[in-house]
Amino acid sequence: MGPQMRAEIRPSQTLSPRLQRAVQLLQMPSLDFAALVRQKLGENPFLEGEDESDAAVDPHETGPLDAREDEGEGPGSAAPEAANTVWDEGVRRDGADDRDLWMQDAVNGSRAASEGELSAMEMTASETTLAMHLHGQLNVMALTERDLCLARGVVESLDDDGYLRTPLEDIADVIPCEPPASGQDMLVALRLVQSLEPAGVAARGVGECLALQVRQMEDGPCRELAERIVNEHLDALAARDIPGLASVLRVPAARVEAVVDRIRHLDPRPGWRVGNSRIDYVVPDVIVRRQRGQWSVQLNPAVVPRVRLNQVYADLFQRHRSRQNGELGEQLQDARWTLRNVEQRFATILDVAQAIVQRQRHFLEFGPMAMKPLVLREIAEEVGVHESTVSRVTSNKHMATPLGVFELKYFFSRPMVSAAGNACSGTAIRGLIGDIIQAEDSTRPLSDAEITRQLSTQGLVVARRTVTKYRQLLRIEPVDKRRRHA
């Protein structure tokens, strides 16, 4: 038998490159998507940004763009006319464009500064970094030029946490001073910087950082015991081994626990107390408010790109279309495709968010205990999209509510059936576990097995490993670390 060939017809579903790109854009975080749209604004002449005064938030109403031209409406559609009217009135009223007004303000500010007045730019607050904060303290100290130079070298070697990760010998090699700094000179400079505020700065490890802060305790006996714990028993401190520390130090467990609690309230990252360079903010995509007894959902204007079709360029291209401007034709098509994706993306996000709020309104009113079980299929059926689309929409998207900012995926949890046959969400059980632990006796905390038994008495059959997982998600320590000694 030789090789044979036969043809078969098999149905398969494939995505075009453009549709694949649209799926990728839908899954992107809104800030990354906005950055991509700004890049398109700089590359495509048929796209332009909208003024701050232009309405552009709800894609169900006017939309963040003017994509109706693509559906057959001519260049005289309402949105471009309104935008052009605002621009024309501004030019006729002021006689200058925005750039002229900006330059005029700059000139006025310079003139005011030369006359001894402070300009608006000079009154703007600037961020104070950790290095600036420490240099300011060094400048008011009575130091020799050499000591000041060495101390500044130590300050410039600190990281954002306030730690000194660079060896003193390496710092001495790059400081231009005569004679060269010795190891003892650098150690003196280090101690000088460690005496500055915030306490614990310029430490070379967590133990040294805590020791520098412990020295500021006013209670003498408490300070002495804390220094012994930090300097000699740092591992036991990290493990919160109260009985072990009490046995080694020969001190009552209650006293050791009180000192350990004070140590745990110290700051292991003192550099974060100055400046805000390490603070990361979550920008919500949708905002939920209660208005007249009803929950309303709207897009966050800060994440919606203000972009539209440059109607003037589009009309010129349509009137002078020829075979030689094929590249411009591709750019016009790309501009329309970009606008359509912006509109579809935020319309889908808004629809999904509204469907979630409609089903989880009891959570907004009563908290996590009122969270209902919810799966992607329910939202997909209500919005009229595929489950995969809902999954992409809820990834890296956040909702601002009166209870806080939550990722959209937070509102989804599989149903867990109680002994009575009622469905309960995992989020509600997690909130119940948190309430049980919060109400426990600190001298006799509950283990995960005991919490499991308490849940079973309330008709909730939950495995112990599930209780452990939910406790870890709540960032609650295990039973041995929660125990307090009387």
Side-chain angles (χ1 to χ4, degrees), residues 46-337:
F46 292 101
L47 293 176
E48 64 177 355
E50 290 187 349
D51 297 333
E52 293 294 331
S53 58
D54 295 340
V57 177
D58 192 347
H60 289 310
E61 297 178 0
T62 59
L65 48 95
D66 182 22
R68 290 170 291 182
E69 185 272 338
D70 190 52
E71 301 178 359
E73 294 187 20
S77 58
E81 286 183 355
N84 293 336
T85 301
V86 173
W87 175 257
D88 293 339
E89 289 178 354
V91 172
R92 288 194 300 267
R93 181 177 64 252
D94 300 329
D97 59 10
D98 291 344
R99 182 177 182 276
D100 293 337
L101 294 175
W102 172 261
M103 295 300 295
Q104 183 178 358
D105 289 342
V107 172
N108 292 338
S110 301
R111 184 181 301 114
S114 63
E115 296 175 356
E117 300 178 3
L118 292 178
S119 65
M121 294 298 294
E122 293 174 326
M123 296 176 63
T124 304
S126 61
E127 179 183 352
T128 300
T129 63
L130 176 62
M132 294 169 57
H133 180 69
L134 297 177
H135 284 314
Q137 298 177 61
L138 292 173
N139 291 335
V140 297
M141 300 177 69
L143 300 175
T144 64
E145 184 177 352
R146 178 183 176 85
D147 291 339
L148 181 60
C149 181
L150 297 180
R152 286 176 175 174
V154 174
V155 169
E156 292 299 330
S157 301
L158 302 180
D159 61 11
D160 292 338
D161 295 337
Y163 283 85
L164 181 64
R165 313 286 187 183
T166 307
L168 293 176
E169 297 79 8
D170 295 346
I171 301 176
D173 292 339
V174 298
I175 296 179
C177 63
E178 290 294 339
S182 63
Q184 187 64 27
D185 293 336
M186 295 305 304
L187 189 59
V188 172
L190 174 64
R191 300 306 181 200
L192 176 61
V193 177
Q194 289 179 346
S195 66
L196 304 177
E197 290 292 334
V201 73
R204 290 164 292 184
V206 177
E208 187 176 17
C209 178
L210 297 178
L212 292 171
Q213 299 179 59
V214 164
R215 295 174 186 173
Q216 296 189 349
M217 291 184 178
E218 297 180 357
D219 187 352
C222 179
R223 181 177 63 251
E224 294 177 2
L225 183 57
E227 289 179 346
R228 291 183 60 188
I229 294 175
V230 170
N231 295 326
E232 303 172 10
H233 308 285
L234 189 61
D235 293 338
L237 172 65
R240 200 180 177 83
D241 185 8
I242 304 298
L245 286 172
S247 176
V248 173
L249 298 172
R250 298 182 180 180
V251 176
R255 184 184 173 193
V256 172
E257 184 175 14
V259 174
V260 168
D261 284 340
R262 293 196 60 178
I263 296 175
R264 292 176 68 88
H265 281 83
L266 301 178
D267 192 353
R269 297 183 178 89
W272 288 20
R273 282 183 267 166
V274 181
N276 56 356
S277 57
R278 293 295 300 270
I279 299 178
D280 297 326
Y281 295 95
V282 174
V283 180
D285 300 85
V286 291
I287 301 174
V288 179
R289 294 187 178 92
R290 189 177 181 88
Q291 298 176 345
R292 298 180 180 178
Q294 300 294 328
W295 292 102
S296 63
V297 185
Q298 67 179 27
L299 291 171
N300 184 4
V303 300
V304 181
R306 296 180 178 274
V307 59
R308 63 187 174 192
L309 188 69
N310 191 318
Q311 200 62 50
V312 176
Y313 287 175
D315 293 344
L316 289 174
F317 174 79
Q318 295 292 348
R319 287 197 296 266
H320 302 284
R321 175 178 294 181
S322 64
R323 296 180 179 179
Q324 287 75 24
N325 53 18
E327 181 178 355
L328 288 177
E330 294 178 358
Q331 289 182 328
L332 179 57
Q333 186 178 6
D334 180 72
R336 291 172 173 169
W337 177 78

